[in-house]
Amino acid sequence: MNAAIIGLLGVILGSLLTSFKDLVAHFFNRRGNGRYAAVRLIAVLDEFAQGCVSVVSDDGTCEGRPAGRTEQGEEYYDPQAATPEAPTFPDDIDWRSISFVLMYRILSLPNNARETDRYISASAEHSFPPDYDEMFSARQEGYAHLGLESVNLVKDLRREFRLPDTPKKFWDWGWDIEKFFQDKLAEFQKRRQASGKNGGLEL
């Protein structure tokens, strides 16, 4: 009887150990897939954030003068930076290796970018020369939101998978891309408060 009980306990223990081993292997495999996915996603998000910087920095001037000029010689502000394409992600990303909330935010970014472009187009219809203020405000504020979200997604991916900080650049002039977007959005918020308006683009 004792031998039978000991044998049964051995079978149960062996089964538990096998299940535990499989669980550990699944965890490390998922973790490895997640880290690999995170590195690839960060590359896409970093590139998109840099494109957002170009749009937010674009005030329609060239060498301090309005960039556009009509045939009659009248100057007007003309966009110099093209809006970046909405980010596209590799087809083979294992999305299940990333937390659901983070995955949702990342996959929502392309739709938010397209919605921002529609908002800019609508604003352009009510924008007039020479400054086209409504259009430039929509471009700068909209892409500041998109750029900041991209930066935050990169930070959250690094945190979730314990990835190192941004690799050291060949040069470093102390520029903070996150602060750049935050300052631009704060500027628009102050301008809105001063004018008594509560609108604006929220992503």
Side-chain angles (χ1 to χ4, degrees):
M1 186 68 176
N2 290 337
I5 293 175
I6 292 173
L8 179 60
L9 290 175
V11 170
I12 294 173
L13 181 60
S15 177
L16 290 174
L17 288 174
T18 300
S19 298
F20 178 73
K21 182 184 71 173
D22 292 342
L23 184 62
V24 170
H26 174 73
F27 171 80
F28 281 105
N29 185 58
R30 182 176 180 273
R31 189 72 175 176
N33 289 342
R35 287 170 68 89
Y36 176 67
V39 169
R40 300 181 72 190
L41 291 170
I42 286 171
V44 174
L45 293 167
D46 276 340
E47 182 179 5
F48 182 69
Q50 292 299 327
C52 293
V53 169
S54 297
V55 177
V56 176
S57 302
D58 181 15
D59 60 1
T61 65
C62 180
E63 297 181 352
R65 301 284 302 175
R69 184 180 295 273
T70 67
E71 294 181 356
Q72 292 74 34
E74 297 175 340
E75 294 182 327
Y76 62 93
Y77 293 83
D78 187 41
Q80 300 300 289
T83 56
E85 294 288 335
T88 56
F89 305 111
D91 294 332
D92 60 344
I93 290 292
D94 183 3
W95 292 103
R96 291 173 297 182
S97 65
I98 301 172
S99 67
F100 176 79
V101 172
L102 191 51
M103 175 187 69
Y104 181 76
R105 286 172 57 203
I106 294 170
L107 291 175
S108 296
L109 186 61
N111 285 335
N112 286 337
R114 287 186 282 269
E115 182 64 25
T116 297
D117 287 338
R118 287 191 287 271
Y119 175 76
I120 293 169
S121 295
S123 299
E125 294 179 1
H126 306 285
S127 192
F128 303 98
D131 55 4
Y132 294 102
D133 184 62
E134 289 80 3
M135 180 189 66
F136 277 103
S137 293
R139 277 169 55 93
Q140 293 177 334
E141 185 175 16
Y143 274 88
H145 277 295
L146 291 170
L148 184 59
E149 174 65 358
S150 298
V151 171
N152 287 333
L153 285 170
V154 168
K155 288 171 58 179
D156 291 343
L157 282 167
R158 292 187 187 281
R159 185 181 303 112
E160 178 167 328
F161 294 100
R162 298 181 180 179
L163 296 172
D165 292 336
T166 304
K168 187 175 181 180
K169 298 180 175 61
F170 295 114
W171 58 87
D172 184 5
W173 51 82
W175 186 69
D176 187 335
I177 186 172
E178 182 179 11
K179 188 175 185 302
F180 169 77
F181 291 130
Q182 290 173 338
D183 288 348
K184 179 58 69 171
L185 291 172
E187 177 185 319
F188 277 102
Q189 184 63 25
K190 289 179 181 179
R191 188 187 306 178
R192 193 170 291 116
Q193 290 174 347
S195 63
K197 296 180 180 179
N198 296 317
L201 183 64
E202 294 291 340
L203 299 178

